[in-house]
Amino acid sequence: MIHGLASTLAEKIIARASGRGQVRPGETLVCRVDLAMIHDSGGPRRVAPKLAQIGAQVWDAERVVVVSDHFTPAADAESARILKLTRDWVRETGAAHFYDMQGICHVVLPEHGHLWPGMFAAGGDSHSTTGGAFGCFMAGYGATDMAGVLASGEVWITTPETLQLWIGGALAPGVSAKDLMLHLCASLGTDHNGQVIEYAGPALAEMSISERMVLTNMAAELGADTALIAPDARTMAALRATGREPPEALRGTDAQIFARWRSDADAPAARAEVDAGALAPQVAAPHSPANSDAVGACAGAAIHQAYIGACVGAKLDDLHMAAAVLRGRRVARDCRLLIAPASARTTSQAAADGTLATLTQAGAILLPSGCGACAGLGAGLLADGEICISTTNRNFRGRMGSPNAEVYLASPYTVAASAVAGCIADPRPLLAERGVARPVAGAA
Amino acid sequence: MRVSGRAWVFGDSIDTDVLMPGAYMKLPAAERARHCLESIAPDFAASVQRGDVVVGGANFGMGSSREQAAEALLTLGVGAVLARSFARIFQRNCLNLGLPALVCEDAGEIVQSAQLEVDVAEGWVRVQGGARWPCRPLPDFLVRMVQSGGLIPHLQQAQRARNVAQENA
Ligand code: SF4
């Protein structure tokens, strides 16, 4: 072990996973994987033939999590075939953890306590960066990479440089982590390949776990290798509430975990700063998250559909934000509001606390949990010439149905306010009428 | 390892939904590939020749992790991809499938339909009878992996070695 040299959180996790004392940005090395996540779309149907080609079995069934979320529930016979194939593969391989139609992988994983600080995880999906909200180094990989992980328990990576992003100030009422990320897509650009973004600062400390997950999720839109947030008391409270234990080697008291899994103060890293307090709600115009600007820039633009869905934008906090706007109001005529809660647990929690009733009384149509329209696979797709405002994370051409449709991205507040107005609208006046003085998203 | 063919030049931030639209993901690979890049280059899939080189700008292959984006290029016979920079997962997917994907800071100098020669191991690209630009070299083991056809053949070799070791144990 080399002593006395400062390391970032990412470097500490990669050093442990690669069995080195210390690693430096740019080093390409092989890491042992603590957990591998695959889903129905990129998972068994793509990796099983590759595993057979290699002639290998799953290296450790206990460390494999399979989530069916992209094709759920089956909308046609081909989707049904893919879901059945996934179930059969889980049975045959004995993969220990399977969530079939329980929600979107990036939400289901932490909900069920699979991610812990210090872990090195591999996810077969580009938004696997979300796991960084729990101090876990989790990047996204394609199907061949995941076949390699499942066969060997190992993956090659090039150690990223760390970009420490300090989030100063405090978010104003009606402004959320989603607005911050859309703003960053425009201001920092979407080409952060070779970097891991480590978020810190007072605005972050105040954010709920759900809001932190938005920051790490959309690090994928910044083009970063992945993102990290050092664990704090809120992280540990959320994880311990899941009832699952961390892997043996990563156990400890909260204090031990905080001391072990953080960047050293003098570790070499790039730095950037953003003032959360200066932000207005943001909207990304078609066809890139980087086309973001304050909502005023496109307020009044016509919409046909408002969509509240996806891993990034339909968690319980997100539904609470939408409900804060929609309570006692109605979705505009000629506009449809579709809501696909991010997980089965989200749905049951929102049913229990009355949120679902608020949403449906406003005229929202509830859709099944899963990737749905976000993946261009499920219900809620767009026709030629249709315009949608959406809480999802990507508005690339053709992603949500017709290549001639247009998708705007925004926060749940802004999407709900737009559904009420029938055109793109600033949520703050609607929230102010209600005297919502603080962001609704506060609970963990 | 040398690749030669015509250049197909694209701009910055070409995403994987453009490379392989989600709507076609359920089709078999060969049919899927016919829709590769159709929204910005409708004649690409029908006209691209074996060995041709796709040349992107910055952040080529951004977006979802779908390997079908890299696979579509391979299926159509593309011999190499050069770009000013790549989205990480897309570049990994290319290399893992045995499709050379090299960072070339001067990719912007290459014009549509130029006849190119690319040396993957040495890391350069040359325009027929013209300029030659450096590409960022890959680590040796990645060059070997690409040469052996990608990660799967590479792991096959490792698995065979393990089996032999077990038999001898
Ligand atoms: S909800 Fe959308 S962004 Fe999230 S995993 Fe599913 S397809 Fe990807």
Side-chain angles (χ1 to χ4, degrees), chain A residues 46 144-145 156 190 193, chain B residues 26 59 67-68 86 92 156:
Chain A
R46 303 237 176 272
T144 297
D145 258 325
W156 64 268
T190 54
N193 297 299
Chain B
K26 290 179 200 163
N59 210 11
E67 195 162 84
Q68 294 89 335
F86 284 99
R92 287 188 76 97
Q156 271 171 337

Side-chain angles (χ1 to χ4, degrees), chain A residues 309-381:
Chain A
C311 48
V312 72
K315 297 170 270 82
L316 189 61
D317 278 12
D318 302 312
L319 301 190
H320 286 165
M321 290 185 225
V325 172
L326 292 171
R327 186 164 296 115
R329 298 199 170 98
R330 286 290 302 175
V331 172
R333 256 183 43 147
D334 303 328
C335 177
R336 51 192 191 260
L337 170 60
L338 309 180
I339 302 184
S343 70
R345 190 172 290 179
T346 306
T347 307
S348 73
Q349 287 171 334
D353 73 9
T355 303
L356 284 190
T358 303
L359 301 175
T360 51
Q361 276 158 20
I365 309 294
L366 278 188
L367 298 180
S369 290
C371 296
C374 178
L377 296 168
L381 298 184

Side-chain angles (χ1 to χ4, degrees), chain A residues 405-438:
Chain A
E406 296 192 336
V407 178
Y408 291 82
L409 303 177
S411 76
Y413 287 130
T414 304
V415 171
S418 303
V420 168
C423 60
I424 294 180
D426 189 334
R428 290 173 297 182
L430 298 190
L431 291 165
E433 280 174 32
R434 294 287 161 67
V436 176
R438 289 286 313 145

